[in-house]
């Protein structure tokens, strides 16, 4: 369970995460998946990574993710050189807008995916101090309560918190924020959702409606995981129910 949850974290990680995730952690995950692959037989590593993320999230919450198999593995990694993270945008709100466009997500789907489980141990491995979650085995709308209803300061800051809806100053992409009265942490990407009025309004909707959150989480995750399943210039193989496996 810890392995597949870490994989699901990697799959939707922000640019800082993709830049700093350790080679050792990735190698450990791939080695464990390779063992499963050898036992399972005819399944690609690409399919296995997506399947692992889906299984982890289904166990964490009643999200009911399905699986669309058929991905192939490249002979080598040479074709991935153009997939390096785009970490040139310092402002996290602009970064969020850029990611929403590139990923093909709606605002609702992007905000929902921000609430994915993140263990403190995993976040520490990425250079952060901790996580917003004290129980990363659960997927529900708790993230939005923690994000919206606590006051935060940048880690290491001596400023007084701004009580209410905003921050002392706009967040930056590399900053980490700690709640003033709890041992929970948010990244600059999280605080962009709190600080931007459009994204914040969506977060408030999710805080009051867990069913809405779970619906859009499923839609966003499925869209992101199946984005590479091309069927001609505009189609997607995973839109065919015959290609879907119910987990």
């Amino acid at each position: 369970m810890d392995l597949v949850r870490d994989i699901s974290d990697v799959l939707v990680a922000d640019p800082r995460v993709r830049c700093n995730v350790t080679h050792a952690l990735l190698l450990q995950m791939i080695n464990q998946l390779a063992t499963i692959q050898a036992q399972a037989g005819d399944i690609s590593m690409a399919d296995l990574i997506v399947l692992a993320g889906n299984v982890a999230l289904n166990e964490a919450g009643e999200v009911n993710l399905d699986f669309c198999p058929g991905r192939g593995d490249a002979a080598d990694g040479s074709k991935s050189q153009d997939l390096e993270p785009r970490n040139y945008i310092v402002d996290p709100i602009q970064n969020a807008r850029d990611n929403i466009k590139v990923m093909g997500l709606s605002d609702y789907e992007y905000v929902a995916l921000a609430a994915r489980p993140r263990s403190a141990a995993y976040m520490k491995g990425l250079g952060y101090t901790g996580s917003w979650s004290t129980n990363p085995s659960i997927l529900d709308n708790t993230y939005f309560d923690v994000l919206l209803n606590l006051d935060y300061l940048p880690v290491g800051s001596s400023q007084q918190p701004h009580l209410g809806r905003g921050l002392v100053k706009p967040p930056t992409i590399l900053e980490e924020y700690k709640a003033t009265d709890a041992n929970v942490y948010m990244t600059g990407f999280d605080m962009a959702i709190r600080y931007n009025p459009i994204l914040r309004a969506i977060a408030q909707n999710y805080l009051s409606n867990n069913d809405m959150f779970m619906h859009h989480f499923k839609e966003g995750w499925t869209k992101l995981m199946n984005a590479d399943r091309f069927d001609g210039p505009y189609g997607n193989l995973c839109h065919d129910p015959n290609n879907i496996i119910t987990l």
Side-chain angles (χ1 to χ4, degrees):
M1 181 64 181
D2 289 339
L3 167 65
V4 291
R5 186 179 301 112
D6 284 344
I7 291 172
S8 67
D9 278 345
V10 171
L11 290 172
V12 293
D14 57 46
R16 170 172 170 164
V17 169
R18 293 196 298 265
C19 286
N20 294 286
V21 65
T22 65
H23 175 73
L25 175 60
L26 288 174
L27 186 60
Q28 177 187 7
M29 291 189 293
I30 294 300
N31 285 341
Q32 293 188 45
L33 284 178
T35 301
I36 298 173
Q37 184 184 31
Q39 296 172 348
D42 187 19
I43 183 172
S44 68
M45 183 61 71
D47 268 350
L48 196 54
I49 291 173
V50 174
L51 177 60
N54 286 11
V55 169
L57 291 167
N58 281 344
E59 290 186 9
E62 297 180 1
V63 65
N64 299 320
L65 292 167
D66 297 322
F67 177 58
C68 181
R71 298 165 186 81
D73 294 328
D76 57 61
S78 62
K79 301 300 182 181
S80 65
Q81 59 186 352
D82 295 327
L83 300 178
E84 296 181 357
R86 302 176 335 282
N87 57 355
Y88 51 83
I89 301 178
V90 176
D91 182 279
I93 297 175
Q94 293 182 14
N95 186 274
R97 284 293 166 207
D98 183 59
N99 282 336
I100 289 169
K101 182 177 181 179
V102 171
M103 292 178 181
L105 300 173
S106 68
D107 288 358
Y108 273 85
E109 291 164 346
Y110 179 85
V111 174
L113 289 178
R116 66 192 181 277
R118 287 177 259 168
S119 69
Y122 178 77
M123 295 303 289
K124 289 177 181 178
L126 303 175
Y128 292 103
T129 306
S131 174
W132 66 267
S133 175
T134 57
N135 188 356
S137 297
I138 302 298
L139 173 64
D140 60 20
N141 62 350
T142 300
Y143 166 81
F144 302 103
D145 183 31
V146 177
L147 176 65
L148 299 177
N149 292 331
L150 296 178
D151 296 306
Y152 291 86
L153 282 175
V155 171
S157 173
S158 61
Q159 300 180 49
Q160 292 298 312
H162 180 94
L163 302 178
R165 298 187 59 185
L167 298 171
V168 175
K169 60 186 180 65
T172 62
I173 196 170
L174 295 180
E175 280 188 310
E176 182 181 23
Y177 296 80
K178 182 184 182 301
T180 56
D181 296 317
N183 190 33
V184 296
Y185 296 83
M186 293 287 179
T187 70
F189 301 95
D190 297 312
M191 300 309 282
I193 295 173
R194 171 177 167 135
Y195 196 74
N196 178 266
I198 295 175
L199 302 181
R200 182 187 178 92
I202 295 172
Q204 290 172 326
N205 286 337
Y206 289 154
L207 175 59
S208 62
N209 191 329
N210 188 63
D211 289 340
M212 177 191 293
F213 159 65
M214 297 294 278
H215 171 76
H216 286 123
F217 187 98
K218 178 178 181 177
E219 293 294 315
W221 179 269
T222 301
K223 182 185 292 186
L224 197 58
M225 293 302 101
N226 296 339
D228 60 342
R229 304 305 318 285
F230 303 112
D231 183 19
Y234 304 110
N236 189 298
L237 291 169
C238 297
H239 292 166
D240 184 347
N242 294 321
N243 296 329
I244 302 298
I245 297 175
T246 301
L247 300 179

